[in-house]
Amino acid sequence: MTTLGQALALGTMNYPDPRQASTTLPKALEALAPYVVQASSLQDVTESTAPKVMSCLTEGLMVAGTYYASALYKANETKVRRKEAEAIASLDKFPDWCLANNAKGTADMRSAFVNMDKEVMELSLEEGYLQALVEQLSSIKMAITMALSSTRSIAYGYRDSSSVSGGKMF
């Protein structure tokens, strides 16, 4: 993992490409661990160390945002694939199954058949996993954002009131 200073010296930060989510997402939580640790150990931050911590947390927020976008992209892609698999199961596989089993296809039977299709079930599980990952990454982003706000308060000696009209509170 590169530090912000190293990345700026190189001229680019190495963020995962959302279109390569299947290879980058398994590493997401591991890659974000140092930033989460930093965000949870603000009791050691002083006015002199705050700028370095803010730099680290800013990088963590950008990385978390990129992983969040990747997970969201992959979740939406999986949802489309699941819906396609449901349509194939409903319109192609179910009529063939009815003919092979000499059964009259009802709407309830079709729905049950689609829900029991192996590909539909696998894609549903993958979609659920990705939605959970999106929620977890969203929580990590929020924790880092709150830590960044607290660190800013330590560095500049005032409460971050960016959400309060009128600017500084003190």
Side-chain angles (χ1 to χ4, degrees), residues 36-88:
V36 172
V37 168
Q38 182 68 59
S40 64
S41 61
L42 295 182
Q43 69 275 8
D44 300 329
V45 177
T46 64
E47 219 175 301
S48 61
T49 61
K52 183 177 179 182
V53 172
M54 283 177 18
S55 175
C56 174
L57 291 173
T58 300
E59 180 182 2
L61 188 57
M62 289 187 291
V63 172
T66 304
Y67 279 121
Y68 176 82
S70 294
L72 199 54
Y73 177 88
K74 187 67 174 173
N76 288 332
E77 181 182 61
T78 302
K79 182 177 182 178
V80 168
R81 288 185 12 238
R82 178 188 51 81
K83 287 186 175 202
E84 182 181 15
E86 286 175 350
I88 290 170

Short mmCIF file of all heavy atoms in Angstrom, two decimals, residues 36-88:
data_model
loop_
_atom_site.label_atom_id
_atom_site.label_comp_id
_atom_site.label_asym_id
_atom_site.label_seq_id
_atom_site.Cartn_x
_atom_site.Cartn_y
_atom_site.Cartn_z
N VAL A 36 -9.20 1.86 8.87
CA VAL A 36 -10.18 1.67 9.94
C VAL A 36 -9.46 1.72 11.30
O VAL A 36 -9.96 2.34 12.24
CB VAL A 36 -10.95 0.34 9.76
CG1 VAL A 36 -11.82 0.04 10.96
CG2 VAL A 36 -11.78 0.39 8.48
N VAL A 37 -8.28 1.10 11.37
CA VAL A 37 -7.49 1.15 12.60
C VAL A 37 -7.14 2.60 12.92
O VAL A 37 -7.26 3.05 14.07
CB VAL A 37 -6.22 0.27 12.49
CG1 VAL A 37 -5.26 0.54 13.62
CG2 VAL A 37 -6.61 -1.19 12.44
N GLN A 38 -6.69 3.34 11.91
CA GLN A 38 -6.34 4.75 12.11
C GLN A 38 -7.55 5.55 12.57
O GLN A 38 -7.46 6.37 13.47
CB GLN A 38 -5.78 5.36 10.82
CG GLN A 38 -5.34 6.80 10.95
CD GLN A 38 -4.12 6.94 11.82
OE1 GLN A 38 -3.08 6.37 11.54
NE2 GLN A 38 -4.24 7.69 12.89
N ALA A 39 -8.70 5.28 11.96
CA ALA A 39 -9.93 6.00 12.31
C ALA A 39 -10.38 5.69 13.74
O ALA A 39 -11.00 6.53 14.39
CB ALA A 39 -11.04 5.66 11.32
N SER A 40 -10.06 4.50 14.21
CA SER A 40 -10.51 4.12 15.55
C SER A 40 -9.49 4.44 16.64
O SER A 40 -9.74 4.16 17.80
CB SER A 40 -10.86 2.63 15.58
OG SER A 40 -9.70 1.87 15.33
N SER A 41 -8.35 5.01 16.28
CA SER A 41 -7.34 5.32 17.30
C SER A 41 -7.02 6.81 17.31
O SER A 41 -5.87 7.21 17.33
CB SER A 41 -6.08 4.50 17.05
OG SER A 41 -5.53 4.80 15.78
N LEU A 42 -8.03 7.62 17.35
CA LEU A 42 -7.84 9.07 17.34
C LEU A 42 -7.42 9.63 18.69
O LEU A 42 -7.00 10.78 18.78
CB LEU A 42 -9.13 9.77 16.88
CG LEU A 42 -9.55 9.50 15.45
CD1 LEU A 42 -10.80 10.29 15.12
CD2 LEU A 42 -8.44 9.82 14.48
N GLN A 43 -7.49 8.83 19.74
CA GLN A 43 -7.10 9.31 21.06
C GLN A 43 -5.62 9.68 21.12
O GLN A 43 -5.21 10.45 21.97
CB GLN A 43 -7.45 8.29 22.15
CG GLN A 43 -6.64 7.02 22.13
CD GLN A 43 -7.19 5.95 21.19
OE1 GLN A 43 -8.11 6.20 20.42
NE2 GLN A 43 -6.62 4.77 21.25
N ASP A 44 -4.83 9.15 20.19
CA ASP A 44 -3.40 9.44 20.18
C ASP A 44 -3.04 10.63 19.29
O ASP A 44 -1.87 11.00 19.19
CB ASP A 44 -2.62 8.20 19.68
CG ASP A 44 -2.85 6.99 20.57
OD1 ASP A 44 -3.06 7.17 21.78
OD2 ASP A 44 -2.82 5.86 20.03
N VAL A 45 -4.02 11.22 18.63
CA VAL A 45 -3.75 12.32 17.69
C VAL A 45 -3.56 13.63 18.46
O VAL A 45 -4.33 13.96 19.35
CB VAL A 45 -4.91 12.47 16.68
CG1 VAL A 45 -4.67 13.65 15.75
CG2 VAL A 45 -5.07 11.19 15.88
N THR A 46 -2.51 14.33 18.09
CA THR A 46 -2.25 15.65 18.66
C THR A 46 -2.31 16.68 17.55
O THR A 46 -2.43 16.34 16.37
CB THR A 46 -0.85 15.69 19.31
OG1 THR A 46 0.13 15.51 18.28
CG2 THR A 46 -0.70 14.64 20.39
N GLU A 47 -2.19 17.93 17.93
CA GLU A 47 -2.23 19.00 16.94
C GLU A 47 -1.11 18.85 15.91
O GLU A 47 -1.28 19.15 14.74
CB GLU A 47 -2.12 20.36 17.64
CG GLU A 47 -3.00 21.41 17.05
CD GLU A 47 -2.95 22.69 17.85
OE1 GLU A 47 -3.29 22.66 19.05
OE2 GLU A 47 -2.57 23.72 17.27
N SER A 48 0.03 18.36 16.35
CA SER A 48 1.16 18.22 15.43
C SER A 48 1.07 16.97 14.55
O SER A 48 1.60 16.96 13.44
CB SER A 48 2.49 18.21 16.20
OG SER A 48 2.52 17.11 17.09
N THR A 49 0.39 15.94 15.00
CA THR A 49 0.27 14.72 14.19
C THR A 49 -1.01 14.71 13.34
O THR A 49 -1.16 13.87 12.46
CB THR A 49 0.29 13.45 15.07
OG1 THR A 49 -0.82 13.49 15.97
CG2 THR A 49 1.59 13.32 15.82
N ALA A 50 -1.92 15.65 13.62
CA ALA A 50 -3.21 15.67 12.93
C ALA A 50 -3.09 15.79 11.41
O ALA A 50 -3.82 15.09 10.70
CB ALA A 50 -4.09 16.77 13.49
N PRO A 51 -2.21 16.63 10.86
CA PRO A 51 -2.13 16.71 9.39
C PRO A 51 -1.78 15.37 8.72
O PRO A 51 -2.34 15.03 7.69
CB PRO A 51 -1.05 17.76 9.14
CG PRO A 51 -1.10 18.62 10.36
CD PRO A 51 -1.40 17.68 11.49
N LYS A 52 -0.86 14.63 9.32
CA LYS A 52 -0.49 13.33 8.77
C LYS A 52 -1.67 12.36 8.86
O LYS A 52 -1.94 11.61 7.92
CB LYS A 52 0.72 12.77 9.50
CG LYS A 52 1.22 11.46 8.94
CD LYS A 52 2.46 10.97 9.66
CE LYS A 52 2.89 9.65 9.08
NZ LYS A 52 4.06 9.11 9.75
N VAL A 53 -2.37 12.38 9.97
CA VAL A 53 -3.53 11.51 10.15
C VAL A 53 -4.63 11.90 9.16
O VAL A 53 -5.28 11.04 8.55
CB VAL A 53 -4.04 11.56 11.61
CG1 VAL A 53 -5.35 10.81 11.77
CG2 VAL A 53 -2.98 10.99 12.55
N MET A 54 -4.84 13.21 8.98
CA MET A 54 -5.85 13.66 8.01
C MET A 54 -5.50 13.19 6.60
O MET A 54 -6.38 12.78 5.85
CB MET A 54 -5.97 15.19 8.03
CG MET A 54 -6.74 15.68 9.22
SD MET A 54 -6.90 17.48 9.44
CE MET A 54 -6.55 18.20 7.91
N SER A 55 -4.23 13.23 6.27
CA SER A 55 -3.78 12.75 4.96
C SER A 55 -4.10 11.27 4.80
O SER A 55 -4.62 10.84 3.77
CB SER A 55 -2.29 13.00 4.80
OG SER A 55 -1.82 12.45 3.62
N CYS A 56 -3.79 10.49 5.81
CA CYS A 56 -4.06 9.05 5.78
C CYS A 56 -5.55 8.78 5.67
O CYS A 56 -5.99 7.95 4.87
CB CYS A 56 -3.49 8.40 7.04
SG CYS A 56 -3.88 6.66 7.21
N LEU A 57 -6.36 9.48 6.46
CA LEU A 57 -7.80 9.27 6.44
C LEU A 57 -8.42 9.71 5.12
O LEU A 57 -9.37 9.08 4.64
CB LEU A 57 -8.46 10.00 7.62
CG LEU A 57 -8.15 9.43 9.01
CD1 LEU A 57 -8.71 10.34 10.08
CD2 LEU A 57 -8.67 8.02 9.15
N THR A 58 -7.88 10.77 4.53
CA THR A 58 -8.38 11.22 3.23
C THR A 58 -8.11 10.16 2.18
O THR A 58 -8.98 9.84 1.36
CB THR A 58 -7.73 12.56 2.83
OG1 THR A 58 -8.05 13.54 3.82
CG2 THR A 58 -8.21 13.02 1.47
N GLU A 59 -6.92 9.59 2.21
CA GLU A 59 -6.61 8.50 1.28
C GLU A 59 -7.54 7.32 1.52
O GLU A 59 -8.07 6.73 0.58
CB GLU A 59 -5.16 8.06 1.43
CG GLU A 59 -4.79 6.93 0.49
CD GLU A 59 -3.36 6.44 0.65
OE1 GLU A 59 -2.63 6.94 1.52
OE2 GLU A 59 -2.98 5.54 -0.09
N GLY A 60 -7.76 6.99 2.79
CA GLY A 60 -8.66 5.89 3.13
C GLY A 60 -10.08 6.13 2.64
O GLY A 60 -10.75 5.21 2.17
N LEU A 61 -10.53 7.38 2.74
CA LEU A 61 -11.87 7.71 2.27
C LEU A 61 -11.97 7.55 0.76
O LEU A 61 -12.96 7.03 0.24
CB LEU A 61 -12.22 9.14 2.68
CG LEU A 61 -13.65 9.60 2.44
CD1 LEU A 61 -14.65 8.68 3.14
CD2 LEU A 61 -13.81 11.03 2.91
N MET A 62 -10.93 7.94 0.04
CA MET A 62 -10.94 7.78 -1.42
C MET A 62 -10.91 6.30 -1.80
O MET A 62 -11.63 5.87 -2.71
CB MET A 62 -9.76 8.53 -2.03
CG MET A 62 -9.93 10.04 -1.96
SD MET A 62 -8.67 10.97 -2.84
CE MET A 62 -7.23 10.67 -1.85
N VAL A 63 -10.10 5.52 -1.12
CA VAL A 63 -10.03 4.08 -1.40
C VAL A 63 -11.36 3.41 -1.06
O VAL A 63 -11.88 2.60 -1.83
CB VAL A 63 -8.85 3.42 -0.64
CG1 VAL A 63 -8.88 1.91 -0.77
CG2 VAL A 63 -7.52 3.97 -1.14
N ALA A 64 -11.92 3.75 0.09
CA ALA A 64 -13.21 3.18 0.49
C ALA A 64 -14.30 3.54 -0.51
O ALA A 64 -15.14 2.71 -0.87
CB ALA A 64 -13.60 3.66 1.89
N GLY A 65 -14.29 4.77 -0.98
CA GLY A 65 -15.27 5.20 -1.98
C GLY A 65 -15.13 4.43 -3.27
O GLY A 65 -16.14 4.07 -3.91
N THR A 66 -13.91 4.14 -3.66
CA THR A 66 -13.69 3.39 -4.89
C THR A 66 -14.15 1.95 -4.74
O THR A 66 -14.80 1.40 -5.63
CB THR A 66 -12.20 3.44 -5.29
OG1 THR A 66 -11.82 4.80 -5.41
CG2 THR A 66 -11.95 2.74 -6.60
N TYR A 67 -13.84 1.33 -3.60
CA TYR A 67 -14.33 -0.03 -3.37
C TYR A 67 -15.86 -0.05 -3.27
O TYR A 67 -16.50 -0.98 -3.74
CB TYR A 67 -13.72 -0.63 -2.11
CG TYR A 67 -12.33 -1.17 -2.31
CD1 TYR A 67 -11.25 -0.69 -1.57
CD2 TYR A 67 -12.08 -2.18 -3.24
CE1 TYR A 67 -9.98 -1.19 -1.76
CE2 TYR A 67 -10.81 -2.68 -3.42
CZ TYR A 67 -9.77 -2.19 -2.69
OH TYR A 67 -8.50 -2.69 -2.87
N TYR A 68 -16.43 0.97 -2.66
CA TYR A 68 -17.89 1.08 -2.57
C TYR A 68 -18.49 1.12 -3.97
O TYR A 68 -19.46 0.41 -4.27
CB TYR A 68 -18.25 2.33 -1.77
CG TYR A 68 -19.73 2.60 -1.68
CD1 TYR A 68 -20.52 1.95 -0.75
CD2 TYR A 68 -20.34 3.52 -2.54
CE1 TYR A 68 -21.88 2.20 -0.67
CE2 TYR A 68 -21.69 3.77 -2.46
CZ TYR A 68 -22.46 3.12 -1.52
OH TYR A 68 -23.80 3.37 -1.45
N ALA A 69 -17.91 1.95 -4.84
CA ALA A 69 -18.40 2.04 -6.22
C ALA A 69 -18.25 0.71 -6.94
O ALA A 69 -19.15 0.30 -7.69
CB ALA A 69 -17.65 3.14 -6.97
N SER A 70 -17.14 0.03 -6.71
CA SER A 70 -16.92 -1.28 -7.34
C SER A 70 -17.97 -2.29 -6.88
O SER A 70 -18.51 -3.05 -7.69
CB SER A 70 -15.53 -1.81 -7.01
OG SER A 70 -14.54 -1.02 -7.58
N ALA A 71 -18.23 -2.31 -5.57
CA ALA A 71 -19.22 -3.25 -5.03
C ALA A 71 -20.61 -2.93 -5.55
O ALA A 71 -21.38 -3.84 -5.90
CB ALA A 71 -19.20 -3.21 -3.51
N LEU A 72 -20.95 -1.66 -5.62
CA LEU A 72 -22.25 -1.26 -6.14
C LEU A 72 -22.40 -1.63 -7.61
O LEU A 72 -23.44 -2.15 -8.04
CB LEU A 72 -22.44 0.24 -5.94
CG LEU A 72 -23.84 0.80 -5.99
CD1 LEU A 72 -24.77 0.08 -5.00
CD2 LEU A 72 -23.81 2.28 -5.68
N TYR A 73 -21.35 -1.41 -8.37
CA TYR A 73 -21.33 -1.77 -9.80
C TYR A 73 -21.55 -3.27 -9.97
O TYR A 73 -22.37 -3.72 -10.76
CB TYR A 73 -20.00 -1.34 -10.42
CG TYR A 73 -19.82 -1.71 -11.86
CD1 TYR A 73 -20.26 -0.87 -12.87
CD2 TYR A 73 -19.20 -2.91 -12.22
CE1 TYR A 73 -20.09 -1.20 -14.20
CE2 TYR A 73 -19.03 -3.25 -13.54
CZ TYR A 73 -19.47 -2.40 -14.53
OH TYR A 73 -19.30 -2.74 -15.85
N LYS A 74 -20.80 -4.06 -9.20
CA LYS A 74 -20.89 -5.51 -9.29
C LYS A 74 -22.27 -6.00 -8.83
O LYS A 74 -22.83 -6.94 -9.40
CB LYS A 74 -19.78 -6.16 -8.47
CG LYS A 74 -19.67 -7.64 -8.61
CD LYS A 74 -19.24 -8.05 -9.99
CE LYS A 74 -19.02 -9.55 -10.04
NZ LYS A 74 -18.76 -10.03 -11.38
N ALA A 75 -22.83 -5.38 -7.78
CA ALA A 75 -24.15 -5.76 -7.29
C ALA A 75 -25.21 -5.50 -8.35
O ALA A 75 -26.10 -6.33 -8.58
CB ALA A 75 -24.49 -5.01 -6.00
N ASN A 76 -25.13 -4.36 -9.01
CA ASN A 76 -26.10 -4.06 -10.08
C ASN A 76 -25.93 -5.00 -11.26
O ASN A 76 -26.92 -5.44 -11.85
CB ASN A 76 -25.97 -2.60 -10.51
CG ASN A 76 -26.50 -1.65 -9.48
OD1 ASN A 76 -27.39 -1.98 -8.71
ND2 ASN A 76 -25.96 -0.45 -9.45
N GLU A 77 -24.69 -5.30 -11.60
CA GLU A 77 -24.42 -6.23 -12.70
C GLU A 77 -24.99 -7.61 -12.37
O GLU A 77 -25.61 -8.27 -13.22
CB GLU A 77 -22.92 -6.31 -12.93
CG GLU A 77 -22.50 -7.22 -14.06
CD GLU A 77 -21.00 -7.27 -14.19
OE1 GLU A 77 -20.32 -7.70 -13.22
OE2 GLU A 77 -20.50 -6.90 -15.26
N THR A 78 -24.81 -8.06 -11.14
CA THR A 78 -25.32 -9.36 -10.70
C THR A 78 -26.85 -9.38 -10.70
O THR A 78 -27.47 -10.38 -11.07
CB THR A 78 -24.78 -9.70 -9.30
OG1 THR A 78 -23.35 -9.69 -9.37
CG2 THR A 78 -25.24 -11.06 -8.83
N LYS A 79 -27.46 -8.26 -10.32
CA LYS A 79 -28.92 -8.17 -10.33
C LYS A 79 -29.46 -8.33 -11.75
O LYS A 79 -30.45 -9.04 -11.97
CB LYS A 79 -29.36 -6.83 -9.76
CG LYS A 79 -30.85 -6.65 -9.67
CD LYS A 79 -31.19 -5.32 -9.03
CE LYS A 79 -32.69 -5.15 -8.89
NZ LYS A 79 -33.02 -3.88 -8.24
N VAL A 80 -28.80 -7.70 -12.72
CA VAL A 80 -29.22 -7.83 -14.12
C VAL A 80 -29.06 -9.28 -14.58
O VAL A 80 -29.95 -9.83 -15.24
CB VAL A 80 -28.41 -6.86 -15.01
CG1 VAL A 80 -28.60 -7.17 -16.49
CG2 VAL A 80 -28.79 -5.43 -14.71
N ARG A 81 -27.93 -9.92 -14.22
CA ARG A 81 -27.71 -11.31 -14.61
C ARG A 81 -28.74 -12.23 -13.97
O ARG A 81 -29.21 -13.19 -14.58
CB ARG A 81 -26.29 -11.75 -14.25
CG ARG A 81 -25.26 -11.11 -15.14
CD ARG A 81 -23.82 -11.58 -14.94
NE ARG A 81 -23.61 -12.74 -14.15
CZ ARG A 81 -22.84 -12.77 -13.04
NH1 ARG A 81 -22.24 -11.69 -12.61
NH2 ARG A 81 -22.68 -13.89 -12.37
N ARG A 82 -29.13 -11.95 -12.71
CA ARG A 82 -30.14 -12.77 -12.02
C ARG A 82 -31.49 -12.63 -12.71
O ARG A 82 -32.19 -13.62 -12.94
CB ARG A 82 -30.27 -12.36 -10.55
CG ARG A 82 -31.37 -13.16 -9.82
CD ARG A 82 -31.64 -12.66 -8.42
NE ARG A 82 -31.89 -11.24 -8.32
CZ ARG A 82 -33.06 -10.64 -8.57
NH1 ARG A 82 -34.10 -11.33 -8.97
NH2 ARG A 82 -33.19 -9.34 -8.40
N LYS A 83 -31.85 -11.41 -13.07
CA LYS A 83 -33.13 -11.21 -13.76
C LYS A 83 -33.15 -11.90 -15.12
O LYS A 83 -34.16 -12.46 -15.53
CB LYS A 83 -33.43 -9.71 -13.90
CG LYS A 83 -33.83 -9.08 -12.59
CD LYS A 83 -34.26 -7.65 -12.78
CE LYS A 83 -34.76 -7.11 -11.46
NZ LYS A 83 -35.63 -5.97 -11.63
N GLU A 84 -32.02 -11.88 -15.79
CA GLU A 84 -31.90 -12.58 -17.08
C GLU A 84 -32.06 -14.08 -16.87
O GLU A 84 -32.76 -14.76 -17.63
CB GLU A 84 -30.56 -12.27 -17.73
CG GLU A 84 -30.37 -12.91 -19.07
CD GLU A 84 -29.01 -12.60 -19.69
OE1 GLU A 84 -28.11 -12.12 -18.98
OE2 GLU A 84 -28.86 -12.86 -20.89
N ALA A 85 -31.41 -14.62 -15.82
CA ALA A 85 -31.52 -16.05 -15.52
C ALA A 85 -32.95 -16.42 -15.15
O ALA A 85 -33.43 -17.49 -15.52
CB ALA A 85 -30.57 -16.42 -14.39
N GLU A 86 -33.64 -15.53 -14.44
CA GLU A 86 -35.05 -15.78 -14.10
C GLU A 86 -35.91 -15.84 -15.37
O GLU A 86 -36.79 -16.70 -15.49
CB GLU A 86 -35.58 -14.70 -13.17
CG GLU A 86 -35.07 -14.80 -11.75
CD GLU A 86 -35.53 -13.63 -10.87
OE1 GLU A 86 -36.08 -12.63 -11.40
OE2 GLU A 86 -35.32 -13.72 -9.66
N ALA A 87 -35.65 -14.93 -16.29
CA ALA A 87 -36.42 -14.92 -17.55
C ALA A 87 -36.16 -16.19 -18.35
O ALA A 87 -37.10 -16.78 -18.90
CB ALA A 87 -36.05 -13.68 -18.37
N ILE A 88 -34.91 -16.62 -18.41
CA ILE A 88 -34.58 -17.85 -19.15
C ILE A 88 -35.24 -19.05 -18.50
O ILE A 88 -35.82 -19.91 -19.18
CB ILE A 88 -33.05 -18.03 -19.24
CG1 ILE A 88 -32.46 -16.97 -20.19
CG2 ILE A 88 -32.68 -19.43 -19.71
CD1 ILE A 88 -30.95 -16.89 -20.17
#
